[in-house]
Amino acid sequence: QVQLVESGGGLVQAGGSLRLSCAASGRTFAATAWFRQAPGKAREFVAAIYWSGSSPVYGDSVKGRLTISRDNAKNAVYLQMNSAKPEDTAVYYCAAGAFISTKGSDYHSWGQGTQVTVSS
């Protein structure tokens, strides 16, 4: 069983920065990803990283603005959002899986999500 708890969401102005955290506990797993879902839209892959530290993977819409990182000692994965845009407004979810994938169905555990709202 894997437990994932997201935090750090909130309201940020366009152009601002925000850092999301995902605290993991329970059994081990290899990869952690961030997805997001805006109202009325499909879930979107944001970024993923292996606990081993190999090269992270990013969705096309966030490359260059969002950075995923991990702290193995704290069992935490982070998503740093810079130059925030109104279109980044969504609920952000942390997910755990055996390998990096852009498909949500490949992840076996999910957090409850944290809301990010970017005002224009």
Side-chain angles (χ1 to χ4, degrees), residues 82-107:
N82 297 325
S83 302
K85 300 178 179 181
E87 50 263 45
D88 292 324
T89 296
V91 177
Y92 284 71
Y93 297 92
C94 179
F99 55 90
I100 286 181
S101 171
T102 60
K103 298 190 299 181
S105 57
D106 286 332
Y107 295 87

Side-chain angles (χ1 to χ4, degrees), residues 26-103:
R27 67 178 177 88
T28 59
F29 54 94
T32 306
W34 286 96
F35 286 79
R36 67 186 182 184
Q37 188 164 21
K41 295 188 176 181
R43 183 172 56 194
E44 177 188 16
F45 171 78
V46 176
I49 192 169
Y50 282 113
W51 287 103
S52 64
S54 59
S55 298
V57 176
Y58 293 94
D60 290 339
S61 64
V62 304
K63 284 181 180 177
R65 295 190 304 113
L66 276 61
T67 303
I68 190 171
S69 61
R70 87 276 184 265
D71 185 331
N72 291 21
K74 295 183 178 180
N75 286 336
V77 173
Y78 307 101
L79 185 69
Q80 178 69 40
M81 181 184 299
N82 297 325
S83 302
K85 300 178 179 181
E87 50 263 45
D88 292 324
T89 296
V91 177
Y92 284 71
Y93 297 92
C94 179
F99 55 90
I100 286 181
S101 171
T102 60
K103 298 190 299 181

